[in-house]
Amino acid sequence: MNVTPLLKALFTRKPFPPAGKLAALIAAACCCSLLAAWTPAAAKTAGPAKRQVIFLPFDVEIPGSYAYLRNGLASTLASRLASRADIAAVAQGGASEQMAKALKSGDHTVFSQQLRQSGADYLIMGALAPKAGQFELTSYVFSQSSNQAPKKFQQSFQTVDDAMTAVDDLAWAISGAVFGAPRPDAAGGGSKGGQGMAAFQTAHPERAYREGLFAGTTTGLEAGGQFELVSTFRSKSIAAEAMDVNAGDLDGDGVDEVVLLTRSALMLYRHEDGAFRMLATVDLPNHLRYHSVTLGDLNNNKHKEIYISGSNGDNPDTTAMEWNGQKMTPLFEHVGWYLRTITAPNQPDMLVGQKTLASEFGGGDIHQMALDARGGLSEGKQLALPQGINVFDFTQADIDGDGAKETIAVSNGSRLQVYDAAGALRWTSSETHGASNNFFGTLTSTNNAVNSEKETTWVPTRVVIEDLDMDGINDVLVGSNRLETVTFMPNLRYFDGSSLSAYKWQSGSLTRLWETKKIPGYIANYQLVHPGKQGDQYQILFAEAQTSYPFVFWNSAATFLNSYTLRVNPAAN
């Protein structure tokens, strides 16, 4: 059967055929595409297994009666790739629609179940949207392999009538870049009209700016400079998904412990003799989603409390415990507050709490909290903070040496911001910092339910305050997971590597002291400790996730603990 006329009719904008005829054309075209792309299990013969690919319906954002393009574009792309890249499209039918809805609303439970059941090696999604008087076709390709980073492809065209040509070129671009089967004439100088594969591979605008800005420059950690990276160490793989990590002297013996918070356990390590040695593991309820593990001696007994904050559905749930070097003792369990500590050199530890998240309708009050003599929790004064800040978004410390505390926060747009003691905004970063894949609400809570119009509220990585250049004034340590967003999937984000950076307040802004080289993984969180009595050195400890995008349920989760030792040479400044 020659399906070309039908496919052309499918994408023809005018004249429109009658509704019944149009429906028949769509059904026929999609059926032909499905027959070409989807291989039933019974028809498989012996030979190399084809790579299994699941295609989600395209998001169509153009005005008019174009809903039929949702499945039309996806099935046509599947057909083209099946014939060119020797892949097998996984037939999901209504399940792929359900997956798209679940992913768009942030219901990762439904999405992950369907993805596992599909048996797919790759996931492809896309969108058709107007742009600058034209139309733009965008597609993302995600691989089950954590070693293969997500890829984005784009193509612009003049009218909807050109969609068939665009999806055909898109298929060639994906075939070559992802599956190693380029267009036959690609080696001869690219496709006609200059629309080669490179036209589809677009860099994230901010990442391109960042790489251009720092191209040819140093990281600030070179030998002989003010800061030297003395050594690095990476642990063996830990079979768990890291939610947070922290470090400090828990039992008052003068040696720091490392606390790794996973989806279902709290793991204690000690970094010594070039290795991370496990001390203990405490099982935690796995129906909660954990945001943070922070440390502080609020009861002044020389043992730091461990505050584990999470969500039970849409409700806050925090547990506190202490480690005496031998066993873990709970102080309180499952209180209805999001809790964390604020720590900085030469200022007492402060415990802060929040019961409801900030929103456009108000709320989100954050209070200073206290422990009573029996280890119970009491509410204190409300903190004066900029509107819209949640409890994990900020820290407070004097970073300019004037004796007054500034508020250093990560905005909703993952920008680092500094507010003065009166609450006035003094500075905002041009680059993104603090982006993470952690969020409020459990996977099945109403905050992330299917068909919910509420976007996910993300939990940023930590803003650490320390004297990083050892001049007696506090500086800022912050993480930079290279955030990538999918405009038509507001609850989906992934990351193109990460790094850690140190900043100093100078001349009315935070200026960079040093930045680690980019690593391919995702940094869950980090902390600074001072090893032994080496006054000119400090260690940066961080937890690195194996995968750099959010489909951790596609593979077995894996975490690596890392230690970077830095030496400060003030004379080299």
Side-chain angles (χ1 to χ4, degrees):
M1 176 180 180
N2 184 4
V3 301
T4 301
L6 295 179
L7 290 175
K8 287 183 177 179
L10 173 64
F11 289 101
T12 299
R13 186 175 184 179
K14 58 183 182 179
F16 284 102
K21 185 177 181 182
L22 178 60
L25 289 172
I26 294 172
C30 289
C31 285
C32 293
S33 294
L34 294 176
L35 288 173
W38 289 332
T39 305
K44 292 182 180 180
T45 58
K50 293 186 176 183
R51 289 159 291 191
Q52 305 291 301
V53 184
I54 187 165
F55 294 80
L56 299 190
F58 271 54
D59 194 77
V60 178
E61 302 171 0
I62 58 177
S65 303
Y66 295 111
Y68 60 85
L69 293 177
R70 284 175 49 78
N71 289 308
L73 290 168
S75 60
T76 303
L77 181 59
S79 174
R80 296 292 191 268
L81 285 175
S83 62
R84 296 167 184 173
D86 196 30
I87 60 101
V90 181
Q92 288 294 309
S96 62
E97 187 75 45
Q98 186 181 19
M99 287 178 66
K101 289 180 178 179
L103 190 57
K104 195 162 191 174
S105 64
D107 189 341
H108 298 288
T109 298
V110 171
F111 178 76
S112 63
Q113 289 173 348
Q114 294 287 351
L115 185 59
R116 287 194 196 99
Q117 292 170 5
S118 73
D121 302 304
Y122 292 85
L123 170 74
I124 295 180
M125 64 181 74
L128 174 62
K131 183 178 181 180
Q134 297 182 321
F135 298 93
E136 186 171 71
L137 195 64
T138 304
S139 186
Y140 294 83
V141 181
F142 295 90
S143 169
Q144 183 185 31
S145 171
S146 60
N147 296 323
Q148 190 168 358
K151 287 184 172 62
K152 177 182 178 181
F153 302 86
Q154 287 181 309
Q155 174 68 1
S156 297
F157 49 95
Q158 294 292 329
T159 70
V160 179
D161 297 344
D162 301 320
M164 270 299 293
T165 301
V167 78
D168 190 71
D169 287 341
L170 187 71
W172 275 122
I174 295 173
S175 178
V178 179
F179 301 109
R183 188 193 298 263
D185 62 351
S191 58
K192 184 169 57 178
Q195 298 297 320
M197 195 177 300
F200 294 92
Q201 306 224 24
T202 58
H204 186 280
E206 183 172 3
R207 188 174 72 246
Y209 164 77
R210 176 187 180 85
E211 292 174 353
L213 182 66
F214 293 143
T217 66
T218 62
T219 65
L221 294 174
E222 288 74 27
Q226 183 182 4
F227 306 96
E228 291 185 64
L229 183 58
V230 177
S231 64
T232 65
F233 178 78
R234 188 174 190 247
S235 73
K236 295 181 179 179
S237 176
I238 301 170
E241 180 185 353
M243 307 305 294
D244 196 5
V245 69
N246 217 314
D249 183 5
L250 298 179
D251 52 10
D253 66 353
V255 180
D256 291 308
E257 283 78 31
V258 179
V259 184
L260 176 65
L261 177 65
T262 73
R263 289 180 63 91
S264 59
L266 183 71
M267 301 179 179
L268 261 63
Y269 292 85
R270 182 166 286 174
H271 182 233
E272 54 189 9
D273 299 327
F276 287 94
R277 179 171 64 89
M278 179 176 281
L279 302 177
T281 297
V282 180
D283 292 333
L284 300 172
N286 59 13
H287 67 280
L288 304 180
R289 181 168 186 86
Y290 298 105
H291 309 131
S292 169
V293 56
T294 55
L295 314 175
D297 185 11
L298 276 297
N299 58 13
N300 298 312
N301 67 351
K302 307 302 181 183
H303 290 179
K304 290 185 182 292
E305 304 94 50
I306 304 169
Y307 297 92
I308 303 170
S309 184
S311 291
N312 185 355
D314 284 329
N315 301 313
D317 186 301
T318 296
T319 292
M321 55 186 71
E322 282 186 341
W323 169 256
N324 66 1
Q326 299 294 325
K327 66 176 182 178
M328 197 73 74
T329 302
L331 298 179
F332 56 77
E333 296 181 293
H334 309 301
V335 300
W337 288 85
Y338 299 113
L339 294 176
R340 60 165 285 235
T341 59
I342 292 178
T343 60
N346 303 316
Q347 71 183 47
D349 298 342
M350 182 168 65
L351 182 66
V352 295
Q354 181 180 25
K355 279 197 169 184
T356 59
L357 300 180
S359 71
E360 58 182 315
F361 305 108
D365 296 341
I366 298 174
H367 293 262
Q368 185 170 349
M369 310 296 289
L371 297 180
D372 59 31
R374 296 180 296 176
L377 193 66
S378 61
E379 176 183 334
K381 67 176 183 179
Q382 181 179 334
L383 300 184
L385 292 168
Q387 188 176 5
I389 284 184
N390 287 312
V391 69
F392 303 112
D393 299 349
F394 76 102
T395 192
Q396 291 184 322
D398 178 14
I399 62 171
D400 59 7
D402 66 353
K405 290 182 182 180
E406 285 73 42
T407 296
I408 306 94
V410 176
S411 72
N412 289 335
S414 299
R415 305 288 173 172
L416 194 61
Q417 297 184 317
V418 177
Y419 296 83
D420 65 20
L425 180 62
R426 298 179 64 182
W427 178 82
T428 299
S429 69
S430 60
E431 302 170 31
T432 58
H433 296 285
S436 86
N437 62 11
N438 203 350
F439 55 83
F440 287 96
T442 52
L443 295 178
T444 56
S445 66
T446 56
N447 185 41
N448 295 287
V450 175
N451 300 323
S452 169
E453 296 181 358
K454 184 176 181 181
E455 291 189 13
T456 298
T457 302
W458 302 98
V459 179
T461 59
R462 184 174 297 116
V463 178
V464 176
I465 303 297
E466 286 284 348
D467 183 4
L468 298 172
D469 59 0
M470 298 185 180
D471 67 349
I473 300 176
N474 289 325
D475 305 306
V476 175
L477 171 68
V478 67
S480 300
N481 288 308
R482 309 298 204 272
L483 176 64
E484 300 282 358
T485 58
V486 179
T487 56
F488 57 92
M489 289 286 183
N491 290 306
L492 172 63
R493 52 174 50 187
Y494 63 95
F495 302 92
D496 180 32
S498 55
S499 62
L500 294 166
S501 302
Y503 287 90
K504 181 178 187 61
W505 185 262
Q506 287 181 326
S507 303
S509 67
L510 286 176
T511 59
R512 190 180 65 139
L513 292 172
W514 53 257
E515 181 175 13
T516 64
K517 291 184 178 180
K518 177 182 172 182
I519 64 171
Y522 161 82
I523 295 178
N525 229 325
Y526 37 85
Q527 188 54 272
L528 182 145
V529 296
H530 293 275
K533 297 181 179 180
Q534 297 171 302
D536 63 342
Q537 294 187 11
Y538 51 80
Q539 286 182 337
I540 308 295
L541 302 169
F542 64 94
E544 172 195 354
Q546 184 177 36
T547 180
S548 61
Y549 56 96
F551 306 143
V552 292
F553 34 72
W554 209 348
N555 302 294
S556 299
T559 296
F560 302 89
L561 291 176
N562 289 264
S563 170
Y564 284 10
T565 301
L566 278 68
R567 178 184 294 118
V568 181
N569 302 313
N573 188 6

